[in-house]
Amino acid sequence: MARILRTSLDPRHGPGISRARRPRQWQNPPVTLRLGVLEGDGIGPEIVPAAIAAADAALRRANTAVQWVPLPVGLAAIAAHGSALPPSTVEALQTLDGWVMGPHDNASYPPAHRATLNPSGALRKHFDLYANIRPARTFRNVPATVRAADLVIVRENTEGFYADRNTFAGTGEFMPTADVAITMGVFTRGRIERIAHAAFQLAGRRRRHVTIVHKANVLAATAFFRDICREAGERYPGIALDDVHVDAMAAHLVRRPADFDVIVTENMFGDILSDLAGELTGSLGLAASLNASDRTAMAQAAHGSAPDIAGQGIANPSAMILSTAMLLEWLAARHDDARLADAASRLAAAVDRTLGLEIFPRDLGGAVTTAAFTRAVIAQIFPE
Ligand code: ATP
C-alpha cells in the first residue's frame, strides 16, 4: 500500500522550518499530482530524501503539494521482492504522474540480477523515456574547470550504441566465443526525429542554437542521425544549427563551452559528453537530468551511486534536487500549472543561492554534510 513519504529531512518534522512559523495559506495546500520515489542504491537513500524534503518546502512555498509514493528498486528490492525492479513497482509507476529515481549500483547485485537490464535502463525502455535532458552550467562561486557555461545536452535515450536498449528480447551485445564480443547500434528515423524536435523546441525557449554531435566520417549510422536532425531543423528557421564530430566536441567543451546552447546526440555520445560537461562545470554532484516521454518523466541525477562515499552522509544532493526541480518544471508545462512552475524555479534558485554562499559539500571542497546542505537549501526557500 502506498504511503506518503515522511523523512527526517522533511521540513514539517526536521529543523528546516517549524509549522508555527508558516503562514496559514501554506498549511493545507491542495494535492494534485502523485509522484513515485525510488531511492535506489549507494548514496540514493541519502540524496533522494534530501531532494524530496527540499521539493516539499518549495511546493509549500508555492502554495501547492504533491503526494510522494515510495516504491522499491535496487538492492533493497532484490532483498524484499527478489528483483531489482519488481513488477509491482512498474505497475505502480504506470498510475503515477512521474517519479524521482535514485542511482543504482548494478555491480553490487548478485550475478543473476546483473544479467538483466539495469533498473533505469529498463524503466527508460518500458516507459519510452526517449529524451534525456542533461543541463551543464556553471554556478556562482563554485570552482569549475571552465569559466562559464550554460548548455543542455539532449541525449537520445532508447537506442543508438547502447545495445541493451536495442532489442525486443535479449540485448544487442553478445559473445559468440570466449574471445569475441559483438555489439550492435540501432538508429531509426522516427526516434531520431522525435529527439531532434525535442532539442529544437528546447532551444526555442533558450538561446536558439542547436548543435548536432555525430561521427559521420567513420560511422554512417551517425551521418544518418545528423541528416535527420538537419531535416527536422528545417521546420525551425529561427534556430541556428551546426554540427560537430564527437571527438572534436570533447575538446570544444573544455576550451569553449560557452559557445554551445543545446547539443543533440545519440545515446552513448550523450552519456559520455554529459559526464564531461558536468565535471567541467564543477562536479558530478551538480549534474541534473530528466528522462521524459510525451506522457511521463523521471528525475534522475546524471551521476552514479558513488559507492565509495555511500553511507557517510557527505554526498552532494544538488544534482538530485535540481533533477527534481526539472521534473516539477516539466509537470508544470504539461499541466499548465503556474504554482508548480513557481515551486520548480524556487527550488532551483535555492540551490543556486546555497552554492553562491559557498556552502559546499565535500566534492566541492567543503565539509558540509548532505543533511546540513539540504537544511541550507530549505532555509533559502523559507528565509528568516
Ligand atoms: P556509474 O557507473 O553508476 O556511473 P561510477 O562509479 O562510474 O558509477 P559515480 O557513482 O557517478 O560513477 O561516481 C564517480 C565519482 O564521483 C566518485 O568518486 C563519486 O564519489 C563521485 N560522486 C558522484 N556523485 C556524487 C555526489 N552526488 N556527491 C559527491 N560525490 C559524487
Side-chain angles (χ1 to χ4, degrees):
M1 182 65 188
R3 62 185 167 85
I4 309 274
L5 190 79
R6 300 252 188 258
T7 73
S8 57
L9 285 170
D10 187 320
R12 288 166 295 197
H13 309 135
I17 183 164
S18 72
R19 179 166 283 272
R21 265 176 47 215
R22 241 179 278 135
R24 175 169 290 280
Q25 76 268 21
W26 292 335
Q27 290 186 5
N28 292 306
V31 172
T32 50
L33 300 175
R34 296 171 72 233
L35 302 179
V37 179
L38 290 73
E39 290 190 352
D41 305 318
I43 58 173
E46 298 159 63
I47 60 173
V48 172
I52 302 307
D56 258 342
L59 288 159
R60 183 163 296 105
R61 186 73 178 78
N63 200 20
T64 186
V66 300
Q67 181 182 346
W68 302 107
V69 182
L71 294 167
V73 75
L75 271 175
I78 292 175
H81 303 274
S83 164
L85 184 61
S88 58
T89 293
V90 178
E91 282 159 27
L93 291 176
Q94 235 131 14
T95 69
L96 301 179
D97 298 289
W99 65 96
V100 176
M101 171 87 177
H104 48 76
D105 182 13
N106 272 55
S108 67
Y109 296 174
H113 296 276
R114 264 181 266 154
T116 57
L117 195 56
N118 70 55
S120 62
L123 288 172
R124 287 171 184 175
K125 191 168 174 173
H126 182 86
F127 288 96
D128 196 25
L129 302 171
Y130 66 86
N132 187 197
I133 313 291
R134 293 187 160 189
R137 61 188 171 96
T138 43
F139 294 82
R140 190 171 65 83
N141 290 345
V142 174
T145 311
V146 293
R147 204 157 46 84
D150 180 7
L151 59 88
V152 183
I153 294 177
V154 176
R155 164 192 174 196
E156 203 293 324
N157 223 7
T158 64
E159 55 173 20
F161 291 126
Y162 274 175
D164 62 346
R165 319 284 144 88
N166 285 340
T167 49
F168 174 69
T171 112
E173 196 170 37
F174 55 99
M175 292 185 71
T177 75
D179 301 315
V180 178
I182 296 177
T183 185
M184 180 175 85
V186 172
F187 292 77
T188 54
R189 177 178 292 277
R191 290 181 176 204
I192 300 169
E193 280 171 353
R194 66 183 181 175
I195 196 69
H197 287 299
F200 285 108
Q201 284 159 17
L202 177 63
R205 300 191 295 274
R206 291 177 46 92
R207 301 196 307 277
R208 311 183 74 77
H209 175 198
V210 170
T211 303
I212 309 162
V213 170
H214 57 84
K215 186 66 182 167
N217 52 344
V218 286
L219 292 163
T222 71
F224 181 61
F225 183 94
R226 177 200 59 194
D227 294 345
I228 291 172
C229 287
R230 278 186 183 154
E231 275 171 44
E234 287 167 14
R235 302 231 318 245
Y236 304 87
I239 294 183
L241 178 61
D242 52 20
D243 64 87
V244 178
H245 287 140
V246 63
D247 43 355
M249 192 59 175
H252 294 328
L253 281 179
V254 176
R255 189 171 288 277
R256 52 182 192 91
D259 291 351
F260 299 97
D261 177 20
V262 173
I263 294 168
V264 62
T265 190
E266 71 85 36
N267 207 337
M268 185 175 73
F269 293 170
D271 197 13
I272 296 170
L273 289 178
S274 57
D275 261 28
L276 172 64
E279 196 59 49
L280 286 171
T281 51
S283 160
L284 274 182
L286 301 172
S289 102
L290 187 75
N291 299 264
S293 71
D294 293 331
R295 65 156 297 277
T296 194
M298 165 170 90
Q300 185 182 35
H303 59 71
S305 62
D308 52 334
I309 58 165
Q312 298 177 36
I314 57 171
N316 185 348
S318 298
M320 200 68 249
I321 299 174
L322 292 170
S323 303
T324 306
M326 290 177 75
L327 175 62
L328 296 181
E329 190 186 9
W330 184 89
L331 289 164
R334 179 169 166 76
H335 297 278
D336 194 19
D337 185 327
R339 288 181 182 177
L340 273 183
D342 185 28
S345 64
R346 285 180 189 278
L347 186 54
V351 173
D352 281 34
R353 282 199 296 272
T354 303
L355 294 169
L357 292 170
E358 301 187 25
I359 297 172
F360 289 161
R362 204 184 64 164
D363 60 319
L364 297 177
V368 171
T369 62
T370 310
F373 185 88
T374 308
R375 282 195 296 272
V377 171
I378 292 169
Q380 289 299 323
I381 294 168
F382 286 102
E384 290 295 329

